Structure formats: structure tokens, C-alpha cells
Amino acid sequence: MRKNPFGTVPERLDKNRYETDVEQSHIEIDQKAAAATGAGPLLVRVCPAHVYSQQADGTIGVLHAACLECGTCLAVAPPGVLKWHYPRSGMGIIFREG
Amino acid sequence: MNDVVTRDVDFDVIVVGAGVAGCVTAYQLATKGHSVMLVERGQSPGSKNLSGGVFYSRIMEEVLPGFIDEAPIERHITRNCLSFLSETSFVNVDYGDERLSKSVTAVSVLRARLDEWLATKCEEAGVMLMSGVKVDSLVMEEERIVGIRAGEDELMAHVVVAADGVNSFICRDAGIRNKEPLKYLAVGVKSVIGLPRNVIEERFNLTGDEGAAYAVVGDCTNGVGGGGFLYTNLESLSIGVVLRLDDLVSKEETSSELHDRFLTHPAIEPFLRGGELLEYGCHMVAEGGQAMVHDLTRPGLVVVGDAAGLTLNTGFTVRGMDLAAGSGVAAAKAIDAALSKGDFSKASLDAYCAELDKIFVGKDMRTYAKAPHFLENPRMYGAYGQLLSDVMYGVYNLDTTPRQRLVSGALGALKKSPLSLLQLVKDMYAAGRSL
Ligand SMILES: Cc1cc2nc3c(=O)[nH]c(=O)nc-3n(C[C@H](O)[C@H](O)[C@H](O)COP(=O)(O)OP(=O)(O)OC[C@H]3O[C@@H](n4cnc5c(N)ncnc54)[C@H](O)[C@@H]3O)c2cc1C
Ligand code: SF4
């Protein structure tokens, strides 16, 4: 894999602007359903913002604050694994370029 | 069916989503004298929106005369380059034409700026803009859509316009549009790279506000259906990949790695060298073409733009903004007629579909109806890039072995490739019929 000169994904996301909803997450994962369907590795791969991560205890970590709101995870997740909706009014990513 | 309605409403029309489709619809209805509210979930219009960035903007001259001079556009696209990559090589078809600079048909844009400007134009025309408000659901009375719900609030209108983009949760939650199959969806992963103006002009051989657009196929997606794009802005480059979700899932690829693989390809990296990352983003793309265009009206509801599946990927160009604008024009015309009749039945609003069919939107969707199927052909994303580069290698690698004529060299390259001549001919025929 050739290295992107513009940094890792988290480093790149640091340059973005977000209005983070600290009170509630717009992503809910059903850990049991995720484990049963093996959805974890799929979510880790498809999300361009690396919101999902495989945890040592076998669960899937969710860093909702990094989300770019594309909806890809919801589209590919097996039924029952994710509850995903747009962040509350005015919250989330604020693209300055687009 | 004639059901004339005289209910109490807060606005004649509520438009959900201040992207290109929503802004054009709202603007046109306001200029026709109707009361219009435009609701946008982002803090400011454009702050949730992302595109590759080439707007085939002729339609905007009809909507907002002087668009090219006044809107915050970046560059006028005068150079179009189709680039076939293999892992280590590229073959380009580079097309520049003075005619393209004399009559501007394509411009590069950055949506955060464009959409904000469009929404300001709407306000000037009398539209009530509500930014930073997410619509949670449609308010329905039996089959009829009568308004919107946001938090505790309900607002009523004769017609609601769903201009809420490719995911259109408000239509999905109301059971109007189902979740689309994965092969009709793609994710675009994009970086905006800042570079000084003169560096961009030198690297892409441009003067003044001229711009270049590269459409890239082959190795850039490592066999996943989709492609890469590289567009010039005034002082930045828009670069990224579009990845079809069915392939992304089945080929076990990682979206961010495919993006990085493209940016670091030896044919691409020199363009970006020394640049500064300004933004990293992603967004869903509708890829189904005509097959995704369905359920465009309900009593009291019209669906426009990406929410209606109006996007075209022809392999050379991704088009959605022009179709969004066109659908806004068609919707405004139909809604204006419905308002003057006081008839908001499905039959009355179906004038929108008829109008779409009449203009370039419906016509182009039909012309390219076979394109998504053609672009599902996996050979587009692997073998052809390699074949082309092997042919070119044979021509230019003058290693003192005797040269073959181009055709026999090409046939030799074809023999080495996993493609058969029959397949090549078949694919070329299919390309001719679908693109
Ligand atoms: C990577 C990529 C590259 C592309 N390249 C090109 C290109 O080069 N040329 C081209 O013409 N097209 C391109 N497209 C397609 C183009 O971006 C879309 O077709 C276009 O943006 C559609 O406009 P729209 O107004 O229908 O939807 P959008 O631009 O998505 O606007 C929808 C709006 O609705 C708002 N919204 C959504 N839900 C709610 C809610 N519940 N409440 C309130 N507001 C809501 C959103 O915040 C947004 O402002 C590309 C797309 C992508 C992702
Ligand atoms: S919506 Fe997109 S960015 Fe957000 S978590 Fe899902 S895949 Fe990642």
C-alpha cells in the first residue's frame, strides 16, 4: 500500500469542521446482531471516515463524531445491525468545500 | 379525480433540502408569486453537500440568467481527459477545444459555496429559508402528504417537495421509496487539495479561468466498479473515487485505501505534489440511472433531484447537478399549475413527470438507460486498462526488436491479456449502444 502524503484518515479528518453532538450519537449498533452476522469487518472496511473499529473484546467501536454522513454503512449493513439517522438539526459535518 | 382543496396552510409549498434541486424548485416557485419555505438540515445550505464538481450548467442560464458570471464557480472546463490506468501506466485521451471556452457548458464548482449562493438567491426572491432544521418526517392524512414535522413542530403546505438527496429518508420512512439495491448505489470518497493558482495552470496547461476535468477508469479502483475523477478549481483540485457498493462489499476492499491508492498512483501523484489537504469527505452517489427513477409523485408530494434517482454515470461523466436543476424546473412548472387549479392530487402533480419526459432530463435518462448495465462489466475496471497500456508499450518501447504494425501489436497484446477478441468486439458493440 502506497502511503497517502496527506496523512492518515484521522489526521485528515482533523482538518474538517464538525459541530459534534456530545449529547447523543446518531449511530446505534446492535452488538449481538453485528457479531451474529459478522458485520463488523464489513463496516470497518466500507466507512471512508473509519468510524467503526474492531475492539479487542470482539465488539465494534463507533466514533460517531467522525461521521461524514454518506449513509454507506446503513446501506450495506445486514438488517437489524444499525440504527442510523442524520445527526440532529445543525449537528455533524460542516463541509467548507464540498 | 378532481379534489379541490382549500385547507389552511402555513405555506403554499415546503421544499425539503437546499441542494441544487431544492433551491431551483423554491426559486422558481417564489418568482411565480407563491409562498415557499425551504428547509435545510445543515447549519448553512451546502454544508452537507459534496459532488465531484463538474456542473453542466447550461440549464442554470434559464433559471438565473447571468449564472456563469455571478455564481461562485471555479473554472470553465475546456479540457476533458479520459484516462485509462493500469497499475503502473496510463493511456489518456485528451480533448481540448476552443469552442468549449467560447460557449461555456461545464464549470467546476464547490458545493459549500454554490449551494449557499443559490439559497441566498432564493431568499432574495422571497423564499423563507430555514437552515439548521432537520425534517423528521412527512405529515400524512391517509395517502395525502399535507406537511412536515421537525421536532415538536408541524408545518402545513399544499405541496411538499422532497429534495433531500440520494438517501431521501423522508420518502423512505413514509414508505414511498424503498431502499435501493446496492448495485444502484456508490460511495464517492473525495479530497480537496489546495495548490497555488499558477501551479494548477502550469500542471494542467491552462490559462485564466480555463479548467480541466479528468475521468479515470481502470486500475484506480482495483477492480471495483466505478472510477476516479480529478477536476481543477481556481486554487484547489477536487480528486476522488466513486465505488459501487455491491463490488465494494463483495471484493473485500477498503474504501479509504482505494481513495489513497488513486491519489498515490504514479500518473496522478505528480498533479498533487506539494499540495495541502483542505478537506476529506464522502457522499453517496445514485448509480442506477433510469431504473432508480420511480415514485416521483404522491398526492401533495413531488420528488426531485437525487431523491428521485436522477443521476447519470456514463463512464465519462457523472451528471446529477444539471438533472437536479432540470427536475426543479419541471417540478416548479407542475406545482405552479396545481396551485392555480387548487388540485394537488397525484393525477394533477403527475404533470411533473410529463414535463421531465419532455426536457433533457427524461430524454437523457432514456438515452443512457443501458449505461449502468454496461458499466457493471468488470473488464472495464481491470483488463482494458492493462490491454491499452500493453498496446502503447509495444508502440513506444523501441528496444531494437523489430516493430510490428499497430494492429498485429494490438492483437499480440490481446492474446496475452485475459480478454478474448470476441469479448472485445462484444463490449465495443455494447459501449456503442449504451453510452
Ligand atoms: C463523489 C461525487 C461526485 C459527483 N460528481 C458530480 C459531477 O461531477 N457533476 C454532477 O453534475 N454531479 C455529480 N455528482 C452528483 C451530484 O452531486 C448530485 O446529483 C446532486 O448533488 C444532487 O442534488 P440534489 O439537490 O438533488 O441533492 P443534494 O445536493 O444531496 O441536496 C440534498 C439536500 O437536502 C438536505 N437534507 C437531506 N435530508 C434532510 C432533512 N431530513 N431535512 C432537511 N434537509 C435535508 C441536505 O442537507 C442537502 O442540502 C457527484 C456526486 C458525488 C457524491
Ligand atoms: S455514514 Fe458514511 S461516514 Fe458515517 S459512519 Fe456510515 S459509512 Fe462512515
Side-chain angles (χ1 to χ4, degrees), chain A residues 28-86:
Chain A
E28 256 179 71
I29 187 163
D30 182 329
Q31 297 287 358
K32 271 201 197 119
T37 55
L42 175 66
L43 294 173
V44 172
R45 282 198 292 116
V46 298
C47 173
H50 294 191
V51 165
Y52 302 95
S53 57
Q54 191 74 55
Q55 301 295 304
D57 64 0
T59 61
I60 307 301
V62 182
L63 190 67
H64 79 276
C67 179
L68 299 164
E69 299 164 33
C70 63
T72 303
C73 53
L74 181 67
V76 304
V81 171
L82 278 188
K83 270 194 201 152
W84 189 105
H85 49 78
Y86 285 133

